[in-house]
Amino acid sequence: MPNKHSPFYPIIYVRGYAMTAGEIDQTTADPFCGFNLGSTVYRAVAEKDRQPRKFVFESPLIRLATDFGYRDVYENGYDILDPEWQADTDSPLSSRSVIIYRYYDEASRLLGIGKTPSLEAFSSQLGELIIKIRDLVCGNAANGIAAADFRCYLVAHSMGGLVCRGLLQNPKLDKRGAAKLVDKLFTYATPHNGIELLGVNTPSWLSLNDINNFSRDNLAKFLDLADAYKATGRVDWLPEKRFPSEQVFCMVGSNRLDYEAALGLSRTFVGHGSDGLVRIENATLRGLDAQGKECSQCAKAFTYRAHSGFFGIVNSEEAYQNLTRFLFGDVRVDLWLDIDDIALPDELRKAEANGETVNALYQIEVLASPRGKLWYLTRRTVEEDSVACLAHQDWKREPKKNSSLYLSTLILANRARVNPRRRSLAYSLALNIRVPDYEVERRLWINQHFEGSYLFRNALILELVPPPANDPDAWRFTFAWQNQGVSQAREQLDAKALKNGKVEVKVPFDSGTRPGIKGQLRFVVSTWNAD
């Protein structure tokens, strides 16, 4: 029978990498391994004589408690792995529990032997923890959950995401079948394709402080991806036969400037297009089918936050909203951009017709915010190095293959509606496509070029009404472009039914200029957590 607590399953938090013995000791001294940290930022106000308004984010742990009734599992100073901890009727382990996977305890000089176990050991022990949690939850009659119906969520920061993938992807590390008990995986700033310094991946022989954990050579073995790594040189693959890619969300940071690790040297060596430690292009995952081919993109969203610290990605409102919507939300929207035609400037069109090689990098900005909110669910801009990109020559050579770009996943929640009497869910989506730096035979073409100009720039309001239970295909969609001023979404959109209970709607756009661009925003929509 279905789990009556769905979608509020136990959350297991898996922290990131600690480099030095001192950092490991500091980690183990914190009961929540950083998940309890919040942040305070400022928002501008209109009056000159007033201080900027403070905007406080309490912490993921406190917000899960206040918003959803989650609680920690420490009792009388003990955690659930301690023999003294008692899960009795007075203090049951409920589905709404946050469990901290304290995998560095053994490596601590305070609580352990001062020797760090391997990544393989971390993943295997995570499986043991999941089994322990299942037994405690299902062993208490008050919860009313059969062992076959138990599920949990994994929420991981940085290297913690690799620890989770080891359990989910490598059968040798999952001796008791714990992977099948995991319902979803959410990763913050995880180096899914390893870490690079000065453009070079961490070498496998650099064992100092376990830095070789981020070597692709080592990760390929750890994640059981030898064939995929040999074929592609990458390890950011998730085999569908091991874990469904649709059940994974990757939260990506794009602010390297606020990352202070190693006195700022990390952000310097990792460079632009990163959160200060992990490059944006290495922070997401892709699905791999049975034939070893890419078959899907794991959900992803972007925020202007650093890898960690007070202004880090974990303790941000944007990441928290994506986390809770992914775990508990109601409507999932996978956002795609389909390009139908790209018009070059007349002079370049003639040069291309004469056999000269014309190239350009089209940079696509996307900013999406729900109605009535003060933050973005996803934020991809040129200045933050987080844009989606398409090279003109790639599009010209294989337009069918390269004309569709996956941009982000946006999950909406009924609880977040400003007006509870309105069934509709809505958000604003800014779509900006920059005028590129055109090149002819690799020489920069600057005629008629104005820095900061756009091929297309507009904002879309999309409003959707989920279908009634007796008619799952009866979605209702309206939209409005905002170039003539802010207006309500009134224009109707036709929905096309897809497989697996999904529908698809398309909103066309056309710059109507030369140079210019023409295409459509494509929204793949489905109910989320419906079962």
Side-chain angles (χ1 to χ4, degrees), residues 78-252:
Y78 300 110
D79 68 21
I80 61 173
L81 296 180
D82 195 295
E84 299 295 328
W85 193 93
Q86 295 295 319
D88 55 23
T89 54
D90 295 327
S91 179
L93 189 65
S94 74
S95 274
R96 300 201 190 200
S97 296
V98 176
I99 300 96
I100 308 299
Y101 177 33
R102 298 178 55 87
Y103 62 83
Y104 268 128
D105 281 6
E106 184 178 339
S108 170
R109 297 170 299 183
L110 301 174
L111 302 175
I113 60 175
K115 183 177 180 181
T116 306
S118 65
L119 266 183
E120 288 79 4
F122 289 156
S123 293
S124 295
Q125 291 164 12
L126 174 60
E128 295 295 329
L129 176 62
I130 292 172
I131 297 296
K132 175 74 171 179
I133 295 168
R134 180 201 63 184
D135 292 346
L136 288 172
V137 170
C138 299
N140 192 295
N143 289 316
I145 302 175
D149 299 320
F150 173 84
R151 294 294 183 272
C152 66
Y153 299 131
L154 298 181
V155 178
H157 175 231
S158 193
M159 190 185 78
L162 300 176
V163 173
C164 294
R165 286 180 62 196
L167 175 71
L168 299 176
Q169 293 186 218
N170 192 338
K172 294 179 181 178
L173 305 179
D174 184 25
K175 295 180 172 57
R176 300 185 63 185
K180 68 178 183 293
L181 305 178
V182 177
D183 186 75
K184 298 187 184 86
L185 167 65
F186 185 97
T187 66
Y188 301 94
T190 290
H192 289 296
N193 192 47
I195 286 178
E196 296 173 6
L197 300 175
L198 297 176
V200 178
N201 179 229
T202 304
S204 59
W205 49 262
L206 189 57
S207 59
L208 178 66
N209 293 327
D210 299 307
I211 293 176
N212 57 357
N213 283 341
F214 308 107
S215 159
R216 284 193 276 271
D217 289 338
N218 288 347
L219 287 174
K221 301 171 188 174
F222 168 66
L223 298 170
D224 194 26
L225 287 173
D227 292 340
Y229 178 53
K230 183 178 180 180
T232 66
R234 302 184 67 87
V235 293
D236 50 354
W237 300 106
L238 181 65
E240 295 285 343
K241 65 180 179 180
R242 302 276 171 76
F243 195 79
S245 59
E246 191 175 59
Q247 300 300 106
V248 177
F249 197 110
C250 301
M251 195 72 210
V252 184

Side-chain angles (χ1 to χ4, degrees), residues 40-100:
T40 306
V41 297
Y42 286 104
R43 297 184 69 89
V45 295
E47 296 87 349
K48 293 182 179 179
D49 58 345
R50 281 180 59 196
Q51 289 290 325
R53 181 183 295 113
K54 287 189 295 186
F55 189 86
V56 176
F57 176 68
E58 302 97 308
S59 80
L61 187 69
I62 293 176
R63 286 291 293 276
L64 284 169
T66 57
D67 293 352
F68 300 99
Y70 273 77
R71 55 163 294 175
D72 67 80
V73 299
Y74 298 125
E75 290 292 336
N76 298 316
Y78 300 110
D79 68 21
I80 61 173
L81 296 180
D82 195 295
E84 299 295 328
W85 193 93
Q86 295 295 319
D88 55 23
T89 54
D90 295 327
S91 179
L93 189 65
S94 74
S95 274
R96 300 201 190 200
S97 296
V98 176
I99 300 96
I100 308 299

Side-chain angles (χ1 to χ4, degrees), residues 462-464 473-479 490-498 502-508 520-525:
L462 181 70
E463 192 162 352
L464 53 127
D473 292 330
W475 289 84
R476 186 161 60 86
F477 299 91
T478 54
F479 79 99
R490 290 194 177 97
E491 192 167 346
Q492 297 286 331
L493 282 168
D494 293 328
K496 174 185 176 183
L498 302 176
K502 299 180 180 180
V503 297
E504 180 182 87
V505 292
K506 299 177 181 179
V507 180
Q520 55 197 357
L521 283 168
R522 178 162 50 93
F523 302 85
V524 179
V525 185

Side-chain angles (χ1 to χ4, degrees), residues 246 248-249 297-302 322 325-326 329-337 366 368-370 377-378 380 405-414 424-429 460-467 475-478 493 498 501-507 521-529:
E246 191 175 59
V248 177
F249 197 110
Q297 292 267 4
C298 292
K300 63 184 177 183
F302 299 77
N322 277 286
R325 289 158 188 266
F326 178 62
D330 304 294
V331 175
R332 173 174 176 147
V333 182
D334 294 306
L335 175 62
W336 293 77
L337 179 74
V366 178
S369 58
L377 279 176
T378 194
R380 310 187 66 175
L405 300 174
Y406 165 60
L407 300 179
S408 278
T409 293
L410 312 169
I411 298 179
L412 303 176
N414 286 323
S424 67
L425 300 167
Y427 55 83
S428 168
L429 182 76
L460 174 80
I461 300 295
L462 181 70
E463 192 162 352
L464 53 127
V465 177
W475 289 84
R476 186 161 60 86
F477 299 91
T478 54
L493 282 168
L498 302 176
K502 299 180 180 180
V503 297
E504 180 182 87
V505 292
K506 299 177 181 179
V507 180
L521 283 168
R522 178 162 50 93
F523 302 85
V524 179
V525 185
S526 61
T527 54
W528 190 241
N529 290 314

Side-chain angles (χ1 to χ4, degrees), residues 252-510:
V252 184
S254 59
N255 179 11
R256 57 187 280 271
L257 297 179
D258 278 335
Y259 190 56
E260 299 292 345
L263 301 177
L265 289 177
S266 172
R267 67 182 180 224
T268 300
F269 289 131
V270 175
H272 290 279
S274 75
D275 61 12
L277 181 63
V278 180
R279 294 191 61 78
I280 290 171
E281 62 184 12
N282 292 333
T284 57
L285 276 171
R286 294 174 281 183
L288 199 66
D289 65 18
Q291 288 71 46
K293 303 293 185 181
E294 180 178 348
C295 61
S296 63
Q297 292 267 4
C298 292
K300 63 184 177 183
F302 299 77
T303 182
Y304 189 59
R305 289 288 186 142
H307 186 78
S308 63
F310 283 111
F311 301 104
I313 191 169
V314 174
N315 47 314
S316 68
E317 184 74 41
E318 298 88 344
Y320 171 78
Q321 290 294 334
N322 277 286
L323 167 67
T324 57
R325 289 158 188 266
F326 178 62
L327 298 185
F328 318 128
D330 304 294
V331 175
R332 173 174 176 147
V333 182
D334 294 306
L335 175 62
W336 293 77
L337 179 74
D338 298 333
I339 297 174
D340 296 331
D341 188 36
I342 297 174
L344 292 171
D346 287 334
E347 185 178 331
L348 296 187
R349 179 174 55 85
K350 294 175 183 177
E352 193 171 61
N354 290 332
E356 295 184 87
T357 300
V358 175
N359 209 354
L361 185 68
Y362 302 104
Q363 300 180 91
I364 299 139
E365 299 180 327
V366 178
L367 299 95
S369 58
R371 178 173 53 202
K373 303 304 177 184
L374 302 177
W375 31 259
Y376 294 111
L377 279 176
T378 194
R379 173 184 170 122
R380 310 187 66 175
T381 69
V382 168
E383 287 76 16
E384 296 162 15
D385 302 314
S386 54
V387 289
C389 295
L390 174 65
H392 181 78
Q393 280 297 312
D394 290 341
W395 178 80
K396 180 178 172 60
R397 184 167 49 248
E398 294 184 272
K400 281 190 175 181
K401 177 181 177 182
N402 296 309
S403 62
S404 291
L405 300 174
Y406 165 60
L407 300 179
S408 278
T409 293
L410 312 169
I411 298 179
L412 303 176
N414 286 323
R415 62 180 166 78
R417 286 200 300 259
V418 175
N419 185 345
R421 291 176 294 180
R422 294 176 67 177
R423 289 194 65 233
S424 67
L425 300 167
Y427 55 83
S428 168
L429 182 76
L431 174 65
N432 309 322
I433 304 174
R434 293 284 186 106
V435 171
D437 294 334
Y438 294 105
E439 294 182 348
V440 181
E441 297 293 341
R442 296 194 174 185
R443 296 190 306 273
L444 188 64
W445 182 81
I446 58 176
N447 295 353
Q448 303 176 33
H449 177 90
F450 298 93
E451 186 67 20
S453 299
Y454 291 87
L455 293 178
F456 180 86
R457 189 179 193 183
N458 209 336
L460 174 80
I461 300 295
L462 181 70
E463 192 162 352
L464 53 127
V465 177
N470 60 353
D471 191 3
D473 292 330
W475 289 84
R476 186 161 60 86
F477 299 91
T478 54
F479 79 99
W481 287 107
Q482 303 297 292
N483 57 314
Q484 300 300 322
V486 177
S487 59
Q488 290 187 348
R490 290 194 177 97
E491 192 167 346
Q492 297 286 331
L493 282 168
D494 293 328
K496 174 185 176 183
L498 302 176
K499 296 179 180 179
N500 302 321
K502 299 180 180 180
V503 297
E504 180 182 87
V505 292
K506 299 177 181 179
V507 180
F509 67 90
D510 187 350

